[in-house]
Structures are given as structure tokens and as C-alpha cells.
């Protein structure tokens, strides 16, 4: 199963990742910051209608949820 994104979803996801990065930095969770930045780059380079691999989706959702 892949997660295909529209332009709007991509923008919202990038904003969620940025919020999570800020929260992780405040908590000094540098490993999570590094992983979130990697996921940010993956989403940023994703073409509209493109999809992330399932394992990337699982990691990304867990990190964003952890730092909400």
C-alpha cells in the first residue's frame, strides 16, 4: 500500500513535519530531528501524485505523532 499525495496534502504534510522538527528540537531529541529532516526531504522531492514507501509512511506518522 502506498500513500499518494496531492499538492495540498504535500504542503500540509511538509508543515506538519516542520512543526514536529521544532518540537523535537525543543525537547532536544536530535535523532528524531535528523529522521524528520530526512523524511521532509523525501516528501519535498515527491512529485504530485507520487507515493511514499509504506515503511516511510509508518516512520513519518510515528514521529509526527510523537512530537505533536
Amino acid at each position: 500500500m502506498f500513500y499518494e499525495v496531492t499538492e495540498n496534502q504535500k504542503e500540509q504534510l511538509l508543515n506538519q513535519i516542520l512543526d514536529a522538527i521544532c518540537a523535537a528540537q525543543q525537547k532536544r531529541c536530535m535523532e528524531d530531528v535528523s529522521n524528520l529532516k530526512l523524511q521532509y526531504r523525501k516528501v519535498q522531492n515527491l512529485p504530485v501524485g507520487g507515493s511514499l514507501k509504506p515503511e516511510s509512511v509508518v516512520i513519518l506518522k510515528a514521529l509526527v505523532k510523537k512530537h505533536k
Side-chain angles (χ1 to χ4, degrees), residues 2-61:
F2 292 90
Y3 181 72
E4 296 180 6
V5 295
T6 65
E7 184 65 36
N8 188 41
Q9 288 172 321
K10 180 177 173 180
E11 188 175 323
Q12 289 176 350
L13 188 54
L14 289 171
N15 286 332
Q16 288 176 350
I17 296 170
L18 286 175
D19 290 343
I21 289 171
C22 289
Q25 285 175 328
Q26 288 177 346
K27 297 176 188 174
R28 301 188 189 276
C29 298
M30 293 307 156
E31 185 175 339
D32 287 352
V33 170
S34 178
N35 287 328
L36 283 161
K37 286 181 179 179
L38 176 64
Q39 295 300 322
Y40 185 91
R41 284 190 294 275
K42 286 182 181 182
V43 173
Q44 192 174 36
N45 292 327
L46 194 64
V48 174
S51 56
L52 294 170
K53 293 182 180 180
E55 52 271 7
S56 291
V57 173
V58 170
I59 292 168
L60 182 55
K61 282 185 176 183

